[in-house]
mmCIF file with all atom_site columns, all heavy atoms in Angstrom:
data_model
loop_
_atom_site.group_PDB
_atom_site.id
_atom_site.type_symbol
_atom_site.label_atom_id
_atom_site.label_alt_id
_atom_site.label_comp_id
_atom_site.label_asym_id
_atom_site.label_entity_id
_atom_site.label_seq_id
_atom_site.pdbx_PDB_ins_code
_atom_site.Cartn_x
_atom_site.Cartn_y
_atom_site.Cartn_z
_atom_site.occupancy
_atom_site.B_iso_or_equiv
_atom_site.pdbx_formal_charge
_atom_site.auth_seq_id
_atom_site.auth_comp_id
_atom_site.auth_asym_id
_atom_site.auth_atom_id
_atom_site.pdbx_PDB_model_num
ATOM 1   N N   . THR Y 1 114 ? 13.481 4.213  -0.207  1.00 0.00 ? 137 THR Y N   1
ATOM 2   C CA  . THR Y 1 114 ? 12.097 3.850  -0.107  1.00 0.00 ? 137 THR Y CA  1
ATOM 3   C C   . THR Y 1 114 ? 11.428 4.568  1.058   1.00 0.00 ? 137 THR Y C   1
ATOM 4   O O   . THR Y 1 114 ? 12.004 4.584  2.154   1.00 0.00 ? 137 THR Y O   1
ATOM 5   C CB  . THR Y 1 114 ? 11.899 2.310  0.072   1.00 0.00 ? 137 THR Y CB  1
ATOM 6   O OG1 . THR Y 1 114 ? 12.608 1.713  -1.044  1.00 0.00 ? 137 THR Y OG1 1
ATOM 7   C CG2 . THR Y 1 114 ? 10.443 1.951  -0.084  1.00 0.00 ? 137 THR Y CG2 1
ATOM 8   N N   . ILE Y 1 115 ? 10.244 5.118  0.835   1.00 0.00 ? 138 ILE Y N   1
ATOM 9   C CA  . ILE Y 1 115 ? 9.523  5.816  1.906   1.00 0.00 ? 138 ILE Y CA  1
ATOM 10  C C   . ILE Y 1 115 ? 8.048  5.722  1.646   1.00 0.00 ? 138 ILE Y C   1
ATOM 11  O O   . ILE Y 1 115 ? 7.597  5.935  0.508   1.00 0.00 ? 138 ILE Y O   1
ATOM 12  C CB  . ILE Y 1 115 ? 9.993  7.328  1.978   1.00 0.00 ? 138 ILE Y CB  1
ATOM 13  C CG1 . ILE Y 1 115 ? 9.553  7.926  3.324   1.00 0.00 ? 138 ILE Y CG1 1
ATOM 14  C CG2 . ILE Y 1 115 ? 9.531  8.133  0.804   1.00 0.00 ? 138 ILE Y CG2 1
ATOM 15  C CD1 . ILE Y 1 115 ? 10.385 7.541  4.491   1.00 0.00 ? 138 ILE Y CD1 1
ATOM 16  N N   . GLY Y 1 116 ? 7.316  5.356  2.673   1.00 0.00 ? 139 GLY Y N   1
ATOM 17  C CA  . GLY Y 1 116 ? 5.834  5.320  2.543   1.00 0.00 ? 139 GLY Y CA  1
ATOM 18  C C   . GLY Y 1 116 ? 5.352  4.455  1.386   1.00 0.00 ? 139 GLY Y C   1
ATOM 19  O O   . GLY Y 1 116 ? 4.322  4.705  0.772   1.00 0.00 ? 139 GLY Y O   1
ATOM 20  N N   . GLY Y 1 117 ? 6.095  3.401  1.098   1.00 0.00 ? 140 GLY Y N   1
ATOM 21  C CA  . GLY Y 1 117 ? 5.731  2.501  -0.009  1.00 0.00 ? 140 GLY Y CA  1
ATOM 22  C C   . GLY Y 1 117 ? 6.129  2.997  -1.386  1.00 0.00 ? 140 GLY Y C   1
ATOM 23  O O   . GLY Y 1 117 ? 5.930  2.306  -2.406  1.00 0.00 ? 140 GLY Y O   1
ATOM 24  N N   . ALA Y 1 118 ? 6.753  4.165  -1.457  1.00 0.00 ? 141 ALA Y N   1
ATOM 25  C CA  . ALA Y 1 118 ? 7.189  4.722  -2.724  1.00 0.00 ? 141 ALA Y CA  1
ATOM 26  C C   . ALA Y 1 118 ? 8.699  4.599  -2.874  1.00 0.00 ? 141 ALA Y C   1
ATOM 27  O O   . ALA Y 1 118 ? 9.430  4.736  -1.906  1.00 0.00 ? 141 ALA Y O   1
ATOM 28  C CB  . ALA Y 1 118 ? 6.783  6.179  -2.849  1.00 0.00 ? 141 ALA Y CB  1
ATOM 29  N N   . THR Y 1 119 ? 9.130  4.330  -4.095  1.00 0.00 ? 142 THR Y N   1
ATOM 30  C CA  . THR Y 1 119 ? 10.558 4.256  -4.417  1.00 0.00 ? 142 THR Y CA  1
ATOM 31  C C   . THR Y 1 119 ? 11.029 5.553  -4.992  1.00 0.00 ? 142 THR Y C   1
ATOM 32  O O   . THR Y 1 119 ? 10.412 6.082  -5.922  1.00 0.00 ? 142 THR Y O   1
ATOM 33  C CB  . THR Y 1 119 ? 10.866 3.071  -5.331  1.00 0.00 ? 142 THR Y CB  1
ATOM 34  O OG1 . THR Y 1 119 ? 10.448 1.887  -4.711  1.00 0.00 ? 142 THR Y OG1 1
ATOM 35  C CG2 . THR Y 1 119 ? 12.344 3.001  -5.648  1.00 0.00 ? 142 THR Y CG2 1
ATOM 36  N N   . ILE Y 1 120 ? 12.161 6.098  -4.470  1.00 0.00 ? 143 ILE Y N   1
ATOM 37  C CA  . ILE Y 1 120 ? 12.751 7.315  -4.995  1.00 0.00 ? 143 ILE Y CA  1
ATOM 38  C C   . ILE Y 1 120 ? 14.015 6.915  -5.729  1.00 0.00 ? 143 ILE Y C   1
ATOM 39  O O   . ILE Y 1 120 ? 14.892 6.279  -5.129  1.00 0.00 ? 143 ILE Y O   1
ATOM 40  C CB  . ILE Y 1 120 ? 13.111 8.289  -3.836  1.00 0.00 ? 143 ILE Y CB  1
ATOM 41  C CG1 . ILE Y 1 120 ? 11.847 8.633  -3.019  1.00 0.00 ? 143 ILE Y CG1 1
ATOM 42  C CG2 . ILE Y 1 120 ? 13.795 9.506  -4.377  1.00 0.00 ? 143 ILE Y CG2 1
ATOM 43  C CD1 . ILE Y 1 120 ? 12.147 9.415  -1.746  1.00 0.00 ? 143 ILE Y CD1 1
ATOM 44  N N   . TRP Y 1 121 ? 14.109 7.236  -6.996  1.00 0.00 ? 144 TRP Y N   1
ATOM 45  C CA  . TRP Y 1 121 ? 15.292 6.957  -7.786  1.00 0.00 ? 144 TRP Y CA  1
ATOM 46  C C   . TRP Y 1 121 ? 16.234 8.175  -7.837  1.00 0.00 ? 144 TRP Y C   1
ATOM 47  O O   . TRP Y 1 121 ? 15.749 9.261  -8.137  1.00 0.00 ? 144 TRP Y O   1
ATOM 48  C CB  . TRP Y 1 121 ? 14.883 6.573  -9.225  1.00 0.00 ? 144 TRP Y CB  1
ATOM 49  C CG  . TRP Y 1 121 ? 14.192 5.231  -9.288  1.00 0.00 ? 144 TRP Y CG  1
ATOM 50  C CD1 . TRP Y 1 121 ? 12.862 4.987  -9.061  1.00 0.00 ? 144 TRP Y CD1 1
ATOM 51  C CD2 . TRP Y 1 121 ? 14.804 3.972  -9.555  1.00 0.00 ? 144 TRP Y CD2 1
ATOM 52  N NE1 . TRP Y 1 121 ? 12.634 3.639  -9.200  1.00 0.00 ? 144 TRP Y NE1 1
ATOM 53  C CE2 . TRP Y 1 121 ? 13.815 2.987  -9.514  1.00 0.00 ? 144 TRP Y CE2 1
ATOM 54  C CE3 . TRP Y 1 121 ? 16.119 3.596  -9.859  1.00 0.00 ? 144 TRP Y CE3 1
ATOM 55  C CZ2 . TRP Y 1 121 ? 14.060 1.655  -9.708  1.00 0.00 ? 144 TRP Y CZ2 1
ATOM 56  C CZ3 . TRP Y 1 121 ? 16.394 2.243  -10.065 1.00 0.00 ? 144 TRP Y CZ3 1
ATOM 57  C CH2 . TRP Y 1 121 ? 15.361 1.296  -9.991  1.00 0.00 ? 144 TRP Y CH2 1
ATOM 58  N N   . VAL Y 1 122 ? 17.498 7.949  -7.586  1.00 0.00 ? 145 VAL Y N   1
ATOM 59  C CA  . VAL Y 1 122 ? 18.471 9.012  -7.667  1.00 0.00 ? 145 VAL Y CA  1
ATOM 60  C C   . VAL Y 1 122 ? 19.021 9.104  -9.101  1.00 0.00 ? 145 VAL Y C   1
ATOM 61  O O   . VAL Y 1 122 ? 19.528 8.120  -9.609  1.00 0.00 ? 145 VAL Y O   1
ATOM 62  C CB  . VAL Y 1 122 ? 19.639 8.770  -6.674  1.00 0.00 ? 145 VAL Y CB  1
ATOM 63  C CG1 . VAL Y 1 122 ? 20.673 9.891  -6.803  1.00 0.00 ? 145 VAL Y CG1 1
ATOM 64  C CG2 . VAL Y 1 122 ? 19.083 8.751  -5.253  1.00 0.00 ? 145 VAL Y CG2 1
ATOM 65  N N   . LEU Y 1 123 ? 18.901 10.275 -9.735  1.00 0.00 ? 146 LEU Y N   1
ATOM 66  C CA  . LEU Y 1 123 ? 19.458 10.520 -11.045 1.00 0.00 ? 146 LEU Y CA  1
ATOM 67  C C   . LEU Y 1 123 ? 20.551 11.575 -10.935 1.00 0.00 ? 146 LEU Y C   1
ATOM 68  O O   . LEU Y 1 123 ? 20.330 12.672 -10.446 1.00 0.00 ? 146 LEU Y O   1
ATOM 69  C CB  . LEU Y 1 123 ? 18.372 11.075 -11.981 1.00 0.00 ? 146 LEU Y CB  1
ATOM 70  C CG  . LEU Y 1 123 ? 17.037 10.313 -12.030 1.00 0.00 ? 146 LEU Y CG  1
ATOM 71  C CD1 . LEU Y 1 123 ? 16.013 11.079 -12.911 1.00 0.00 ? 146 LEU Y CD1 1
ATOM 72  C CD2 . LEU Y 1 123 ? 17.233 8.895  -12.559 1.00 0.00 ? 146 LEU Y CD2 1
ATOM 73  N N   . HIS Y 1 124 ? 21.776 11.206 -11.323 1.00 0.00 ? 147 HIS Y N   1
ATOM 74  C CA  . HIS Y 1 124 ? 22.901 12.169 -11.239 1.00 0.00 ? 147 HIS Y CA  1
ATOM 75  C C   . HIS Y 1 124 ? 22.805 13.098 -12.468 1.00 0.00 ? 147 HIS Y C   1
ATOM 76  O O   . HIS Y 1 124 ? 22.885 12.628 -13.612 1.00 0.00 ? 147 HIS Y O   1
ATOM 77  C CB  . HIS Y 1 124 ? 24.229 11.426 -11.201 1.00 0.00 ? 147 HIS Y CB  1
ATOM 78  C CG  . HIS Y 1 124 ? 25.415 12.349 -11.161 1.00 0.00 ? 147 HIS Y CG  1
ATOM 79  N ND1 . HIS Y 1 124 ? 26.617 12.054 -11.749 1.00 0.00 ? 147 HIS Y ND1 1
ATOM 80  C CD2 . HIS Y 1 124 ? 25.571 13.547 -10.587 1.00 0.00 ? 147 HIS Y CD2 1
ATOM 81  C CE1 . HIS Y 1 124 ? 27.474 13.044 -11.516 1.00 0.00 ? 147 HIS Y CE1 1
ATOM 82  N NE2 . HIS Y 1 124 ? 26.858 13.962 -10.817 1.00 0.00 ? 147 HIS Y NE2 1
ATOM 83  N N   . THR Y 1 125 ? 22.613 14.369 -12.208 1.00 0.00 ? 148 THR Y N   1
ATOM 84  C CA  . THR Y 1 125 ? 22.359 15.364 -13.260 1.00 0.00 ? 148 THR Y CA  1
ATOM 85  C C   . THR Y 1 125 ? 23.346 16.533 -13.138 1.00 0.00 ? 148 THR Y C   1
ATOM 86  O O   . THR Y 1 125 ? 22.924 17.638 -12.816 1.00 0.00 ? 148 THR Y O   1
ATOM 87  C CB  . THR Y 1 125 ? 20.907 15.850 -13.250 1.00 0.00 ? 148 THR Y CB  1
ATOM 88  O OG1 . THR Y 1 125 ? 20.589 16.295 -11.926 1.00 0.00 ? 148 THR Y OG1 1
ATOM 89  C CG2 . THR Y 1 125 ? 19.935 14.761 -13.636 1.00 0.00 ? 148 THR Y CG2 1
ATOM 90  N N   . PRO Y 1 126 ? 24.611 16.332 -13.427 1.00 0.00 ? 149 PRO Y N   1
ATOM 91  C CA  . PRO Y 1 126 ? 25.595 17.425 -13.273 1.00 0.00 ? 149 PRO Y CA  1
ATOM 92  C C   . PRO Y 1 126 ? 25.333 18.543 -14.258 1.00 0.00 ? 149 PRO Y C   1
ATOM 93  O O   . PRO Y 1 126 ? 24.666 18.357 -15.289 1.00 0.00 ? 149 PRO Y O   1
ATOM 94  C CB  . PRO Y 1 126 ? 26.920 16.739 -13.568 1.00 0.00 ? 149 PRO Y CB  1
ATOM 95  C CG  . PRO Y 1 126 ? 26.598 15.555 -14.429 1.00 0.00 ? 149 PRO Y CG  1
ATOM 96  C CD  . PRO Y 1 126 ? 25.241 15.067 -13.924 1.00 0.00 ? 149 PRO Y CD  1
ATOM 97  N N   . GLY Y 1 127 ? 25.866 19.718 -13.883 1.00 0.00 ? 150 GLY Y N   1
ATOM 98  C CA  . GLY Y 1 127 ? 25.706 20.887 -14.779 1.00 0.00 ? 150 GLY Y CA  1
ATOM 99  C C   . GLY Y 1 127 ? 25.530 22.167 -13.975 1.00 0.00 ? 150 GLY Y C   1
ATOM 100 O O   . GLY Y 1 127 ? 26.373 23.051 -14.006 1.00 0.00 ? 150 GLY Y O   1
ATOM 101 N N   . HIS Y 1 128 ? 24.438 22.202 -13.193 1.00 0.00 ? 151 HIS Y N   1
ATOM 102 C CA  . HIS Y 1 128 ? 24.281 23.346 -12.256 1.00 0.00 ? 151 HIS Y CA  1
ATOM 103 C C   . HIS Y 1 128 ? 25.310 23.277 -11.175 1.00 0.00 ? 151 HIS Y C   1
ATOM 104 O O   . HIS Y 1 128 ? 25.876 24.272 -10.717 1.00 0.00 ? 151 HIS Y O   1
ATOM 105 C CB  . HIS Y 1 128 ? 22.881 23.330 -11.662 1.00 0.00 ? 151 HIS Y CB  1
ATOM 106 C CG  . HIS Y 1 128 ? 22.608 24.411 -10.654 1.00 0.00 ? 151 HIS Y CG  1
ATOM 107 N ND1 . HIS Y 1 128 ? 22.460 25.723 -11.012 1.00 0.00 ? 151 HIS Y ND1 1
ATOM 108 C CD2 . HIS Y 1 128 ? 22.501 24.363 -9.319  1.00 0.00 ? 151 HIS Y CD2 1
ATOM 109 C CE1 . HIS Y 1 128 ? 22.261 26.444 -9.891  1.00 0.00 ? 151 HIS Y CE1 1
ATOM 110 N NE2 . HIS Y 1 128 ? 22.287 25.671 -8.861  1.00 0.00 ? 151 HIS Y NE2 1
ATOM 111 N N   . ALA Y 1 129 ? 25.595 22.016 -10.727 1.00 0.00 ? 152 ALA Y N   1
ATOM 112 C CA  . ALA Y 1 129 ? 26.703 21.726 -9.815  1.00 0.00 ? 152 ALA Y CA  1
ATOM 113 C C   . ALA Y 1 129 ? 27.161 20.278 -10.187 1.00 0.00 ? 152 ALA Y C   1
ATOM 114 O O   . ALA Y 1 129 ? 26.375 19.530 -10.704 1.00 0.00 ? 152 ALA Y O   1
ATOM 115 C CB  . ALA Y 1 129 ? 26.225 21.781 -8.359  1.00 0.00 ? 152 ALA Y CB  1
ATOM 116 N N   . PRO Y 1 130 ? 28.428 19.971 -9.930  1.00 0.00 ? 153 PRO Y N   1
ATOM 117 C CA  . PRO Y 1 130 ? 28.917 18.683 -10.407 1.00 0.00 ? 153 PRO Y CA  1
ATOM 118 C C   . PRO Y 1 130 ? 28.259 17.469 -9.800  1.00 0.00 ? 153 PRO Y C   1
ATOM 119 O O   . PRO Y 1 130 ? 28.150 16.434 -10.418 1.00 0.00 ? 153 PRO Y O   1
ATOM 120 C CB  . PRO Y 1 130 ? 30.434 18.727 -10.005 1.00 0.00 ? 153 PRO Y CB  1
ATOM 121 C CG  . PRO Y 1 130 ? 30.640 19.960 -9.252  1.00 0.00 ? 153 PRO Y CG  1
ATOM 122 C CD  . PRO Y 1 130 ? 29.453 20.844 -9.336  1.00 0.00 ? 153 PRO Y CD  1
#
Side-chain angles (χ1 to χ4, degrees):
T137 306
I138 196 78
T142 300
I143 303 171
W144 290 85
V145 177
L146 310 175
H147 180 213
T148 52
H151 177 72

